[in-house]
Amino acid sequence: MAIFLSQVFLPAVGVLVLLFLVSTVRTWYTRRQIIKKNGCLPPKRLPQKDNIFGSDVVRENLKAAREFGFLEKLRSRHEKYGPTFTTNTFFRTTLYTCDPKVLQTVLATQFQDFGMGPLRRSSAKPLLGKGIFTQDNKGWEHQRGLIRPAFLRAQITDFNIYESHVDQLISLIPTDGTPVDLQQLFFRMVLDSNTEYLFGESVGLLSPNASQFAQDFHNALDYAQKGTIFRLRLGKIMWIHHDKKFREACATVHAFGDKFVKKALDIRHRRINFGDEKTETGRKQYVFLDELAKDCDDPVMLSDQIVNMLLAARDTTAGLLSFIFFMLARRPDVWEKLRLEVLEGWEEPMNYEALQRMTYLRYVIHETLRLFPPIATNSRMANKDVAIPYGGGPDGKSPLFMKKNYVVTYSTFVMHRRKELFGEDADEFKPERWEKLRPGWEFLPFNGGPRICPGQRFAITEAGYATARLVKHFARITNHDPTEFREQLTLSLTLNNGVKVAMGTA
């Protein structure tokens, strides 16, 4: 035994230690060369009491989230420490930024140097699995290729897709002054409309005969998102997250998605055996589920992709509609101006071209997206050692070196409210600013670069049509919530206090 240790084991350990030292020195030297070549300067750092684990920052973030103020906490940090700064939490360096130039670099110019990263995939795995929101490279490209044709202009401008669902929504809004939470109705309507559009079958949440299974799914998706964002905030210590209800919520979401998985596999089976003469939906439009059935027969992969699309199908448009009417209820001047435009420009049957001519409606939508972007915070991870041209130095204008696995967390919510970018009145809801405003990378409500949301035009068109219909049908709107905006931040941004209003037709 002693001979083995002296002649085999110890020399082997010595070789491994030597190889480790050589690799470490080589990595150090390579990084120094990148820094020197590009003239990189270190970014500002957020002052931390705990410089080893960053536990104070984590506690502050979690406390702010519990009090529905995480975005304001983030905004106050940027106002104090600048557009770009770093934090260290549990051996992970995060670069926080609201600088349009940094975002353009990470999301577009050096797109290949950044990805979702393993941390995001781990945090979202119970809910999103290997769906499009967690994938990189070929996997992401392939899934995006399946989704993109669903949002061609010829399809999204067909208002028959939305009409019956908006009719149903209007029928559920009291006209006698009884308060109603529009946000709850918007989320149900949008999920009904968009599941019919993407999967050929509505979940029917607005129907008086809505199934308990659909209601359970709707509630489970909310809770599963809260758990997912909590895991993401925990970062490397997400292993401490033990929440039985979260696991059950994810299981409920996937169980509901399985009805569409079964439908996709049935479509695939019929296509293999009987050809392409008919589809399940009988529709001529591109139906995402039909194409998904052609592409894949793995039930787990189908489930992941369907759950990702169910999430996307609900939250973006429903959140946008909620914030539009949250603001309209507080701004009677905007309501009256918008209603006048809609009444003057309305055509029967309503069509895309007439909707596009409603310029003030477009301004209202853009201003809402500016103040309340659907994805208020997002992140990327450096997939290699890399230098970017902005973000370094005390003013954030020098090149910056980022090690592999450094995380970039960016907030469009903060960026869209920067006075340097949108003027001293950046905090105000002012649709008229869009008469002349032509922003670039400082306005990113639907992300930017290759991963820009393929359904952004669909979301804006659906929200625009629904808004115009409601503004035309109802003569007035009255706010029934004395509180100001209180964020509900999960994977998307909504209102914790809902949209409590009363509406009247005369």
Side-chain angles (χ1 to χ4, degrees), residues 322-334:
S322 297
F323 281 113
I324 288 173
F325 281 84
F326 178 81
M327 294 310 303
L328 289 177
R330 287 159 172 76
R331 291 290 301 275
D333 57 322
V334 176

Side-chain angles (χ1 to χ4, degrees), residues 150 155-156 158 160-162 165 192-202 263 278-288 290-291 458:
Q155 294 201 162
I156 66 175
D158 177 8
N160 290 327
I161 299 165
Y162 323 118
H165 300 288
D192 284 357
S193 172
N194 293 359
T195 48
E196 180 179 353
Y197 180 78
L198 290 168
F199 304 131
E201 177 185 344
S202 171
K263 187 174 180 180
K278 294 182 179 180
T279 68
E280 172 73 9
T281 63
R283 292 168 62 180
K284 293 182 179 179
Q285 290 110 323
Y286 181 104
V287 177
F288 173 67
D290 293 346
E291 299 307 311
F458 176 79

Side-chain angles (χ1 to χ4, degrees), residues 265-336:
L265 293 174
D266 287 346
I267 293 170
R268 183 180 179 87
H269 175 74
R270 285 196 300 274
R271 183 176 283 121
I272 291 172
N273 288 281
F274 305 109
D276 278 330
E277 293 182 7
K278 294 182 179 180
T279 68
E280 172 73 9
T281 63
R283 292 168 62 180
K284 293 182 179 179
Q285 290 110 323
Y286 181 104
V287 177
F288 173 67
L289 190 67
D290 293 346
E291 299 307 311
L292 197 57
K294 289 181 184 177
D295 181 71
C296 180
D297 63 357
D298 179 352
V300 175
M301 183 60 72
L302 284 169
S303 179
D304 289 346
Q305 295 193 55
I306 286 168
V307 166
N308 277 248
M309 291 308 296
L310 283 169
L311 175 63
R314 190 191 69 162
D315 286 32
T316 300
T317 309
L320 173 55
L321 280 166
S322 297
F323 281 113
I324 288 173
F325 281 84
F326 178 81
M327 294 310 303
L328 289 177
R330 287 159 172 76
R331 291 290 301 275
D333 57 322
V334 176
W335 171 270
E336 292 298 332

Side-chain angles (χ1 to χ4, degrees), residues 141-201:
E141 290 176 8
H142 179 72
Q143 293 189 44
R144 187 178 175 88
L146 287 175
I147 294 168
R148 189 184 294 112
F151 299 110
L152 295 175
R153 185 182 185 279
Q155 294 201 162
I156 66 175
T157 57
D158 177 8
F159 289 169
N160 290 327
I161 299 165
Y162 323 118
E163 186 174 11
S164 64
H165 300 288
V166 178
D167 286 344
Q168 201 164 21
L169 169 72
I170 289 174
S171 73
L172 295 174
I173 299 175
T175 59
D176 61 357
T178 302
V180 63
D181 184 355
L182 286 181
Q183 180 168 260
Q184 289 293 325
L185 294 178
F186 286 146
F187 269 74
R188 286 169 166 76
M189 181 205 73
V190 170
L191 191 60
D192 284 357
S193 172
N194 293 359
T195 48
E196 180 179 353
Y197 180 78
L198 290 168
F199 304 131
E201 177 185 344

Side-chain angles (χ1 to χ4, degrees), residues 38-40 101-102 104-106 109-110 386-392 396-401:
N38 293 279
C40 298
K101 291 183 178 179
V102 175
Q104 183 177 11
T105 300
V106 172
T109 312
Q110 293 179 224
V386 63
I388 62 175
Y390 306 99
K397 296 180 180 180
S398 299
L400 168 69
F401 173 73

Side-chain angles (χ1 to χ4, degrees), residues 370 415-416 418-423 425-426 433 437 442:
R370 184 184 71 83
M415 182 171 71
H416 289 178
R418 287 181 59 188
K419 294 180 180 180
E420 313 95 290
L421 303 177
F422 292 95
D425 59 356
R433 78 174 73 245
L437 189 61
E442 61 268 29

Side-chain angles (χ1 to χ4, degrees), residues 36-51:
K36 183 177 180 181
K37 178 182 177 181
N38 293 279
C40 298
L41 295 177
K44 279 187 176 180
R45 287 189 60 183
L46 182 73
Q48 298 178 213
K49 296 177 181 177
D50 179 358
N51 289 313

